Amino acid sequence: MPSPDQFAAAAHALAAGALVVFPTETVYGLGANASDDVALRRVFQTKGRPSDHPLIVHLATPADLDHWSASTPPSAVALAEAFWPGPLTLLVPRARHVLDTVTGGRPTVGLRVPSHPVAHAFLARFAEIVPHGGVAAPSANRFGAVSPTEAVHAKAELLPFLHDGDLIIDGGASTVGLESTIVDCSVNPPMILRHGAVTAEMLGVVTDLQDAAGPSRAPGMLASHYAPRCAVIAVADRSHADRVAVEAVGPVEVLDYGIDVDAMAHGLYASFRAADARGVQSLIVVLPPESGLGRAIRDRVTKASADRPVPN
Ligand code: TXA
Ligand code: MG
């Protein structure tokens, strides 16, 4: 755990316009003061991301939900109460002060209170400097690449693009390992836009949902995304994997976590990176069942495998 001095330094750097890479329980984020238009523009440049893809605003406390939302839908209040702090992003009607750079001009803003102790300490320190302050942060990877689940991954992705004064906080490996669940609470009933560790089953206990089993719809969730350099081939079971492996060209590996979906979520992106580092050309991934956390994993693996030419 970084020291209080380090949190203070990072929070002051952020308030002064720097970018800060910080850990969360899902993945590492590339943070900017959500009320600083110049710093926000640097987030898009640093990632190489189109400027109309909205950013999630990270808050220290659920009490700040009302500061960032124009009118908080009852579903958002109930979901925040049940799952914050945690790996859940809520889309709510944006408050007037929320910048277009954050929302991509949309009428909603995505809000999340992370549970990671380092993220919390950093956000809380920042909110002492900027009252109700939020930290806008996409995943700390270059656009289209795999999200970082360790500080060293974020460094490898972004160090060449960071400036003097920007900081990277190392908080160890992200426990969940997949990006947050996104629920659009501006519609009634709410709709899941991206599956994650707060599963459809868990959400369904708190609120009605529409199209809970549908494909991801968040803008920026392109068909091909979260992709390593190697070709990802998704298969239903181990025997299928072994048959495909025999026919695959070049160095090939099979990724099979068995029934342990928590371990698979936690390790998936690191496995993608490790496969690339070993020069693997074809990574055959055995998919988990399509329920609970398995849905989020299948979503990411499918996107990693979409339309990827086998590299040579
Ligand atoms: O777990 C996470 O959510 C991580 C950590 C850092 O919190 N963040 C993350 O951010 O994954 P990013 O930018 O890589 O993915 C956020 C997704 C994008 O597809 C974006 O388009 C969508 O959320 N999004 C954010 N705000 C939105 C809004 N107001 N309306 C629709 N989609 C939104
Ligand atoms: Mg991302």
Side-chain angles (χ1 to χ4, degrees):
M1 181 99 169
S3 69
D5 281 356
Q6 284 173 290
F7 289 125
H12 279 286
L14 198 83
L19 304 187
V20 176
V21 173
F22 65 102
T24 84
E25 69 278 23
T26 59
V27 299
Y28 274 68
L30 170 63
N33 176 354
S35 304
D36 179 340
D37 208 47
V38 175
L40 291 167
R41 285 173 203 277
R42 276 197 55 223
V43 169
F44 291 94
Q45 286 161 11
T46 305
K47 272 191 71 107
R49 169 164 162 163
S51 58
D52 60 343
H53 288 196
L55 303 176
I56 295 169
V57 177
H58 299 71
L59 304 173
T61 160
D64 282 341
L65 173 57
D66 287 340
H67 178 76
W68 289 86
S69 108
S71 57
T72 310
S75 61
V77 174
L79 290 171
E81 197 159 291
F83 300 111
W84 278 359
L88 174 66
T89 296
L90 301 174
L91 301 193
V92 295
R94 67 194 264 193
R96 285 168 69 105
H97 66 85
V98 181
L99 298 173
D100 279 342
T101 332
V102 168
T103 66
R106 286 177 180 69
T108 56
V109 61
L111 303 174
R112 177 161 107 80
V113 177
S115 63
H116 194 297
V118 171
H120 176 74
F122 167 56
L123 291 165
R125 195 69 187 77
F126 177 66
E128 283 174 19
I129 302 166
V130 177
H132 309 292
V135 177
S139 51
N141 51 280
R142 293 282 289 168
F143 182 61
V146 176
S147 294
T149 54
E150 296 177 31
V152 57
H153 301 162
K155 209 179 265 184
E157 291 267 339
L158 297 182
L159 203 55
F161 305 96
L162 294 176
H163 293 183
D164 281 353
D166 295 340
L167 294 171
I168 297 178
I169 306 177
D170 189 343
S174 297
T175 45
V176 173
L178 297 180
E179 303 80 359
S180 61
T181 309
I182 301 179
V183 178
D184 185 355
C185 293
S186 71
V187 294
N188 194 19
M191 186 191 289
I192 299 179
L193 300 190
R194 180 172 75 182
H195 291 282
V198 176
T199 64
E201 292 86 342
M202 292 160 71
L203 295 164
V205 173
V206 177
T207 178
D208 286 342
L209 292 166
Q210 51 177 306
D211 280 342
S216 298
R217 274 164 234 250
M221 295 209 61
L222 312 173
S224 170
H225 210 139
Y226 311 105
R229 286 194 303 276
C230 62
V232 172
I233 303 165
V235 298
D237 56 44
R238 182 70 200 211
S239 65
H240 189 180
D242 293 336
R243 285 202 303 280
V244 173
V246 172
E247 286 160 22
V249 190
V252 53
E253 285 183 10
V254 174
L255 199 59
D256 181 6
Y257 281 88
I259 56 165
D260 195 344
V261 283
D262 291 322
M264 186 164 190
H266 177 74
L268 185 69
Y269 291 156
S271 299
F272 282 176
R273 285 175 192 278
D276 278 344
R278 283 195 297 268
V280 169
Q281 277 194 26
S282 302
L283 185 65
I284 302 168
V285 183
V286 181
L287 292 174
E290 196 166 6
S291 62
L293 188 54
R295 209 172 270 151
I297 296 171
R298 292 173 69 101
D299 177 61
R300 304 314 192 272
V301 173
T302 308
K303 289 200 163 64
S305 66
D307 288 340
R308 302 285 298 175
V310 179
N312 49 47

